[in-house]
Amino acid sequence: MATANANRLEPLGIGVGVLLVLVGIATLVGTPWAYKSGGVVLLLGQALGAVAAIAIGAGLAWVARD
């Protein structure tokens, strides 16, 4: 009976969450800020954005798995 009421969007939420985590990790590993002359502000902004993508993706996957 519980399977009849299952959330059909759960796999989509988990998939998008995992994708965001992978994109954030790939951004940190790829170090795109090494090729730009934007200085420390650009480095911090891109690193913060990558970490935020990882956090948002993990949070989305956590919430969607219920």
Side-chain angles (χ1 to χ4, degrees):
M1 191 76 161
T3 58
N5 295 329
N7 186 0
R8 297 181 307 162
L9 293 177
E10 179 180 351
L12 180 64
I14 293 172
V16 170
V18 169
L19 178 67
L20 277 173
V21 169
L22 292 175
V23 166
I25 291 171
T27 300
L28 287 175
V29 171
T31 60
W33 52 80
Y35 304 109
K36 297 185 182 189
S37 60
V40 176
V41 175
L42 182 64
L43 178 131
L44 290 176
Q46 288 179 338
L48 181 65
V51 171
I54 293 170
I56 291 170
L60 178 62
W62 180 264
V63 168
R65 73 170 181 83
D66 184 53

